[in-house]
């Protein structure tokens, strides 16, 4: 490697690692705010919080790395142009492409490493972080309750879902507007408890947590053994000033915070697992659609299956002598209106009500199945999107380098001023296009592959254009050739006028 290549690569690597460290710290603090409620005030040790941050860092690479490549390339080539180092290189016969040669090799290597990182490291990190949060919630039951949504008390044997509007006080022990659903052994919610306030009382020496509810109502569906009594749908309800629920957490004391659970989301899967799951999800969805369509057709009875003719009976008819067939009277009822008019009034009411109930039932079934299939296809699309995003992330680092390097040479500014502003604007454009495209892809409005590749493909022509302009020593936005062309048109018209 020549001295010039070593010098350019050294300067780029210095900017690259400096930018990466600064950006990763900024994104860590920004991301920690999302989980501050799960970590703060729960009595967690520094080791557990440190593990959480350690598992959280790799999940930021898909945002930090493209911005780092863009910013470091703008800083490096902007400094070269500002200090007239590019002018010296060009005077020596060294073009921009020749100066970028060592960096191109590095960026290509970085793209390969990024793909393997996105395929192997990030899924494991996502799984570790998910399981750590889940196991923290088991060890610290107060952390298992999230404001505004129903939360499961897992591992307690109680089978409860709890929703609270607000948590406050020491370690979030006081609860406002508590709603509890208790489940039976068949996983059916048959008990509802509502209270204006509640309090979690626990002790480190005890395996019992007391949930003390105040000023509320209790409702329970009673399930008698007799079928006739069950049809009456009996229930019990009462009001209370104070109601205490004891929750046994003895099974949670030996909970391993590093215990791995099943892989549940597309972010926890590598390329091989994604391809396998995409095939199985597609086949499963098709089976669901076909089975549901057959069910609806059978319920409607509008398209009865054709009964095949027995060919043996046709041959017998040919052998046996034909008998005179008595003429049958044709059916005079040809339309539904005629059929309805032929019935008595009470029969008409019965038929219409039955038809209305059938149609209403089918429509409700179709609506519920539509929602189910939409969620299934959203889950399926998210897998395809995640698969293509792994490849797109690696290519985006390469393309954004060819955007940042010529852009830095054009704007001719180093430091963290203008280059930082330009890099953030370009990255936000790239990032928001990716977010909107990803959301459209999950909903099925566009193909998931397009949603994953769209921001990268938009940056590709920009990189080509900037590289050509920087090679030709043109400015960022050049209007000179347009002005010259307009002037030439007017000059031509004046000359034609003079000739006439």
């Amino acid at each position: 490697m020549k001295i010039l290549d070593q010098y350019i690569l050294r300067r780029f690597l210095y900017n690259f690692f400096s930018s990466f460290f600064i950006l990763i710290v900024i994104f860590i603090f920004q991301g920690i705010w999302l989980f501050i409620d799960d970590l703060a005030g729960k009595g967690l040790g520094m080791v557990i919080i440190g593990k959480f941050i350690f598992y959280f860092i790799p999940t930021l690479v898909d945002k930090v790395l493209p911005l780092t490549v863009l910013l470091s390339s703008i800083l490096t080539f902007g400094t070269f142009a500002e200090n007239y180092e590019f002018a010296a290189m060009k005077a020596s016969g060294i073009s921009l492409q020749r100066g970028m040669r060592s960096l191109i090799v590095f960026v290509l290597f970085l793209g390969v490493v990024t793909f393997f990182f996105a395929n192997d490291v990030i899924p494991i990190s996502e799984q570790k972080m998910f399981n750590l949060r889940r196991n923290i919630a088991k060890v610290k039951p107060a952390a298992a309750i999230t404001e505004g949504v129903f939360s499961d008390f897992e591992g307690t044997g109680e089978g409860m879902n709890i929703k609270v509007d607000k948590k406050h006080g020491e370690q979030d022990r006081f609860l406002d507007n508590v709603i509890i659903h208790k489940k039976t052994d068949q996983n059916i919610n048959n008990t509802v408890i509502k209270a204006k306030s509640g309090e979690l009382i626990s002790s480190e020496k005890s395996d019992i947590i007391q949930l003390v509810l105040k000023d509320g109502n209790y409702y329970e569906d009673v399930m008698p053994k007799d079928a006739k009594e069950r049809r009456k749908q009996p229930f019990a309800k009462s009001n209370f000033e104070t109601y205490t629920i004891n929750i046994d957490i003895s099974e949670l004391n030996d909970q391993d915070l590093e215990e791995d659970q099943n892989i549940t989301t597309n972010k926890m899967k590598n390329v091989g697992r994604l391809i396998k799951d995409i095939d199985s999800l597609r086949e499963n969805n098709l089976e669901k659609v076909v089975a549901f369509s057959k069910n609806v057709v059978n319920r409607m009875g509008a398209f009865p299956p054709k009964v095949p003719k027995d060919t043996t009976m046709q041959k017998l008819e040919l052998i046996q002598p034909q008998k005179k067939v008595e003429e049958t009277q044709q059916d005079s009822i040809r339309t539904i209106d005629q059929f309805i008019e032929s019935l008595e009034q009470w029969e008409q009411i019965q038929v219409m009500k039955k038809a209305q109930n059938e149609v209403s039932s089918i429509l409700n079934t179709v609506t519920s199945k539509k929602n189910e299939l939409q969620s299934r296809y959203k889950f399926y699309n998210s897998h395809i999107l995640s698969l293509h995003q792994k490849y797109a992330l690696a290519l985006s680092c390469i393309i954004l380098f060819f955007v940042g390097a010529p852009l830095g040479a054009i704007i001719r500014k180093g430091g963290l001023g203008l280059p930082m502003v330009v890099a953030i604007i370009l990255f936000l454009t790239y990032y928001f296009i990716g977010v909107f495209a990803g959301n459209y892809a999950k909903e099925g409005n566009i193909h998931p592959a397009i949603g994953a590749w769209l921001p990268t493909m938009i940056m590709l022509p920009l990189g080509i254009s900037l590289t050509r302009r920087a090679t030709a020593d043109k400015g960022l936005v050049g209007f000179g050739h347009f002005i010259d062309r307009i002037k030439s048109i007017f000059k031509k018209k004046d000359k034609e006028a003079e000739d006439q």
Side-chain angles (χ1 to χ4, degrees), residues 44-58:
L44 303 176
M46 292 302 297
V47 175
I48 296 176
I49 296 176
K51 284 182 179 180
F52 183 85
I53 295 175
F54 179 74
Y55 295 148
F56 181 62
I57 289 174

Side-chain angles (χ1 to χ4, degrees), residues 100-168:
M100 294 166 59
R101 187 173 65 179
S102 60
L103 300 184
I104 292 172
V105 175
F106 171 76
V107 170
L108 291 174
F109 173 74
L110 180 66
V112 175
V113 172
T114 302
F115 170 74
F116 284 105
F117 189 87
N119 186 49
D120 298 328
V121 179
I122 293 180
I124 297 175
S125 178
E126 288 276 0
Q127 185 182 3
K128 290 286 186 182
M129 189 177 69
F130 173 81
N131 291 327
L132 185 61
R133 288 184 64 199
R134 182 175 179 176
N135 295 333
I136 285 173
K138 289 183 179 181
V139 177
K140 305 290 182 181
I145 302 175
T146 304
E147 293 179 355
V149 297
F150 280 99
S151 306
D152 291 329
F153 257 62
E154 301 185 53
T156 62
E158 295 294 326
M160 294 193 306
N161 299 103
I162 300 179
K163 177 185 175 183
V164 300
D165 286 351
K166 187 178 180 182
K167 301 186 296 183
H168 55 90

Side-chain angles (χ1 to χ4, degrees), residues 45-331:
M46 292 302 297
V47 175
I48 296 176
I49 296 176
K51 284 182 179 180
F52 183 85
I53 295 175
F54 179 74
Y55 295 148
F56 181 62
I57 289 174
T59 64
L60 301 173
V61 170
D62 60 338
K63 303 179 185 68
V64 174
L65 197 57
L67 179 57
T68 301
V69 172
L70 182 63
L71 179 59
S72 57
S73 57
I74 293 176
L75 287 173
T76 302
F77 286 87
T79 304
F80 286 160
E82 186 180 21
N83 296 334
Y84 298 102
E85 291 174 287
F86 261 137
M89 282 189 279
K90 289 179 180 178
S92 303
I94 300 173
S95 64
L96 177 65
Q97 286 81 1
R98 172 61 186 83
M100 294 166 59
R101 187 173 65 179
S102 60
L103 300 184
I104 292 172
V105 175
F106 171 76
V107 170
L108 291 174
F109 173 74
L110 180 66
V112 175
V113 172
T114 302
F115 170 74
F116 284 105
F117 189 87
N119 186 49
D120 298 328
V121 179
I122 293 180
I124 297 175
S125 178
E126 288 276 0
Q127 185 182 3
K128 290 286 186 182
M129 189 177 69
F130 173 81
N131 291 327
L132 185 61
R133 288 184 64 199
R134 182 175 179 176
N135 295 333
I136 285 173
K138 289 183 179 181
V139 177
K140 305 290 182 181
I145 302 175
T146 304
E147 293 179 355
V149 297
F150 280 99
S151 306
D152 291 329
F153 257 62
E154 301 185 53
T156 62
E158 295 294 326
M160 294 193 306
N161 299 103
I162 300 179
K163 177 185 175 183
V164 300
D165 286 351
K166 187 178 180 182
K167 301 186 296 183
H168 55 90
E170 183 183 358
Q171 294 188 352
D172 290 338
R173 58 184 292 189
F174 297 106
L175 313 174
D176 292 341
N177 293 328
V178 183
I179 301 176
I180 298 176
H181 288 176
K182 274 191 171 184
K183 300 178 182 178
T184 62
D185 295 336
Q186 292 78 27
N187 204 29
I188 299 173
N189 291 332
N190 71 328
T191 303
V192 180
I193 304 172
K194 296 183 70 175
K196 290 185 178 180
S197 62
E199 181 182 358
L200 285 168
I201 301 174
S202 61
S203 173
E204 294 182 359
K205 298 179 181 179
S206 175
D207 292 335
I208 302 296
I209 287 182
Q210 287 187 336
L211 176 58
V212 181
L213 303 175
K214 297 180 180 179
D215 193 10
N217 302 287
Y218 181 97
Y219 175 90
E220 180 180 3
D221 285 324
V222 179
M223 300 296 292
K225 294 182 179 180
D226 189 6
K228 292 182 179 179
E229 294 296 326
R230 280 201 302 269
R231 282 197 291 269
K232 296 179 181 179
Q233 297 181 349
F235 64 90
K237 66 177 182 178
S238 63
N239 302 329
F240 59 84
E241 293 182 359
T242 302
Y243 181 75
T244 302
I245 301 176
N246 294 321
I247 304 173
D248 184 7
I249 58 169
S250 57
E251 299 177 8
L252 304 181
N253 290 337
D254 299 326
Q255 181 66 39
D256 181 13
L257 291 178
E258 295 295 323
E259 179 188 358
D260 286 338
Q261 306 292 335
N262 292 329
I263 298 174
T264 55
T265 68
N266 54 290
K267 293 182 179 180
M268 301 179 190
K269 301 173 183 178
N270 56 20
V271 170
R273 178 69 182 271
L274 284 170
I275 293 174
K276 180 181 177 182
D277 288 352
I278 286 170
D279 290 338
S280 60
L281 286 171
R282 181 174 59 248
E283 293 176 1
N284 185 260
N285 289 341
L286 288 175
E287 289 176 0
K288 292 282 183 182
V289 172
V290 171
F292 178 69
S293 61
K294 287 182 178 178
N295 182 32
V296 171
V297 169
N298 292 334
R299 287 181 62 181
M300 290 174 61
F303 307 101
K306 291 184 178 180
V307 180
K309 263 191 172 183
D310 192 350
T311 54
T312 57
M313 295 299 296
Q314 290 179 349
K315 291 179 181 178
L316 288 173
E317 288 176 0
L318 293 173
I319 296 172
Q320 293 177 357
Q322 293 183 355
K323 297 180 179 179
K324 291 183 180 180
V325 182
E326 296 181 358
E327 293 184 359
T328 57
Q329 187 177 1
Q330 292 185 352
D331 193 352

